[in-house]
Amino acid sequence: MKTDKFRDPIHGFIQKYGPDYNITPKLICDIYMGREAGPNSEYTFLKSFMDSELDCDKMDYLLRDSYYCGVKYGMYDVERLISSFTICYTNDIPRLAIKTGGIQVFEEFVLARYFMFIQVYFHRTRRYFDIMLGKALKEILPGGTYPKNVKEYLTCDDCYIIQLLKANASRSGPCRCLVERYVYPRVSHTKAHPLESDIREFNRNFKELKREIGEEYLIIDKSADKVPHKIPKRTEIENEKAIIIYDKAIERKTTISEESEIIRNLTKKINIMRIYCHPLKAETAINFIKSYNE
């Protein structure tokens, strides 16, 4: 992680609030990487806001992405979730915890992320354009990759890439697909959590389609995979990945894995596989798969 990206905003913060807040880019990186615990382990506590299943980035992007995509899948009661946060201590180390009354809103938060991956981030059209963008960049960038030099890399912004795509649309198939929004239809796919038998059928369909249609007309996507969360199914409270549930009245500490049936069972990886086919061959491909699997 480069510390340079933090320098300007942190300098502005120190100027505004004074030297009492001795924050440096190195300190931010040390907290994030877990290299600095702090005099009273307070940095360990802060790290959970930066990188955990409860970090502020996840809490922000779900609501923001839902709003700008015009969907409800990523919505959750953020005020209730924040109000359910508390602090407890394990081995004299402060830990971010959730009050017992916040179990359901945390489940809602995890489910919101799960639904966003299935319905938005792994949507078939979005995944298709991800693939096409990757193919296009390999063709139009020097050496097929972004520059290693940071200053040169930063010049490759959206406007620069869009202009490159437009300039090469006449000679590059992937660029043309992106510029003209030319979409290959999906002709075969698995469910979100396929069984072994589903995967065998999918692979068999692709093999037969290559023989019947021709591989040059097909695009296969096996990269839409993600675990719904990284909370261990069984874990000790001392584990930094544990989400602690704290009942202050009786000073009882447990983990979300113990308290939530939903969290315990939402552990199987999302693994959506798809086959896309050139529009000129798509109807033939769909009819072939129908008859082949009858």
Side-chain angles (χ1 to χ4, degrees), residues 55-79 81 105-121:
D55 65 50
C56 51
D57 178 52
K58 293 182 181 68
M59 294 174 65
D60 169 64
Y61 77 66
L62 285 176
L63 298 173
R64 180 164 32 87
D65 290 353
S66 291
Y67 177 80
Y68 285 106
C69 290
V71 299
K72 300 290 186 182
Y73 298 112
M75 305 299 286
Y76 66 95
D77 191 343
V78 62
E79 288 83 9
L81 181 60
V105 72
F106 179 74
E107 291 174 334
E108 181 187 34
F109 170 66
V110 173
L111 285 171
R113 186 165 175 258
Y114 171 72
F115 294 143
M116 282 294 284
F117 270 100
I118 289 178
Q119 295 293 331
V120 178
Y121 305 138

Side-chain angles (χ1 to χ4, degrees), residues 15-274:
Q15 279 191 324
K16 183 175 181 180
Y17 294 102
D20 292 340
Y21 298 93
N22 188 24
I23 301 173
T24 65
K26 181 179 181 304
L27 176 60
I28 296 292
C29 288
D30 285 346
I31 293 172
Y32 181 82
M33 300 299 291
R35 293 192 293 253
E36 179 66 56
N40 300 299
S41 300
E42 63 270 26
Y43 296 157
T44 302
F45 174 74
L46 289 175
K47 183 179 183 295
S48 60
F49 287 99
M50 299 169 67
D51 182 29
S52 75
E53 291 302 300
L54 263 177
D55 65 50
C56 51
D57 178 52
K58 293 182 181 68
M59 294 174 65
D60 169 64
Y61 77 66
L62 285 176
L63 298 173
R64 180 164 32 87
D65 290 353
S66 291
Y67 177 80
Y68 285 106
C69 290
V71 299
K72 300 290 186 182
Y73 298 112
M75 305 299 286
Y76 66 95
D77 191 343
V78 62
E79 288 83 9
R80 176 71 179 113
L81 181 60
I82 291 172
S83 70
S84 73
F85 289 166
T86 187
I87 300 174
C88 69
Y89 287 82
T90 58
N91 300 325
D92 295 325
I93 296 174
R95 296 283 299 275
L96 177 64
I98 298 173
K99 301 171 188 175
T100 51
I103 292 173
Q104 281 68 46
V105 72
F106 179 74
E107 291 174 334
E108 181 187 34
F109 170 66
V110 173
L111 285 171
R113 186 165 175 258
Y114 171 72
F115 294 143
M116 282 294 284
F117 270 100
I118 289 178
Q119 295 293 331
V120 178
Y121 305 138
F122 289 161
H123 187 277
R124 62 181 182 273
T125 306
R126 182 264 162 96
R127 288 294 308 137
Y128 164 80
F129 281 118
D130 280 353
I131 293 166
M132 281 300 176
L133 180 60
K135 289 176 179 288
L137 292 176
K138 285 182 180 180
E139 292 183 11
I140 62 178
L141 290 175
T145 185
Y146 282 103
K148 292 183 179 179
N149 180 277
V150 174
K151 288 186 178 179
E152 290 179 21
Y153 173 78
L154 292 175
T155 65
C156 299
D157 58 13
D158 289 353
C159 294
Y160 173 76
I161 296 298
I162 289 169
Q163 290 304 314
L164 274 183
L165 293 172
K166 289 180 177 178
N168 288 277
S170 60
R171 69 170 188 85
S172 165
C175 289
R176 174 175 168 263
C177 288
L178 288 160
V179 171
E180 298 182 8
R181 207 175 190 278
Y182 191 70
V183 182
Y184 281 31
R186 181 195 65 184
V187 297
S188 181
H189 68 284
T190 65
K191 53 194 173 188
H193 300 282
L195 303 172
E196 286 298 324
S197 58
D198 299 321
I199 295 173
R200 285 196 300 270
E201 180 181 307
F202 176 84
N203 289 330
R204 188 171 62 246
N205 286 343
F206 183 62
K207 181 180 177 182
E208 295 302 323
L209 277 173
K210 285 194 296 182
R211 184 179 300 151
E212 182 73 15
I213 305 294
E215 190 171 4
E216 67 273 20
Y217 293 103
L218 303 172
I219 295 173
I220 188 168
D221 178 23
K222 290 187 175 182
S223 60
D225 62 336
K226 184 82 174 180
V227 290
H229 62 75
K230 297 179 182 178
I231 304 166
K233 202 169 185 179
R234 293 183 180 85
T235 185
E236 300 298 324
I237 289 174
E238 288 76 15
N239 189 320
E240 66 172 16
K241 291 185 178 180
I243 302 296
I244 298 174
I245 304 299
Y246 185 51
D247 188 334
K248 189 175 181 180
I250 59 175
E251 296 187 355
R252 178 174 177 263
K253 288 177 282 189
T254 57
T255 68
I256 192 67
S257 303
E258 296 174 81
E259 298 288 342
S260 171
E261 192 77 15
I262 291 174
I263 300 300
R264 276 200 306 276
N265 287 292
L266 198 64
T267 54
K268 189 176 181 182
K269 185 169 72 171
I270 302 166
N271 188 23
I272 305 171
M273 302 178 183
R274 298 185 178 102

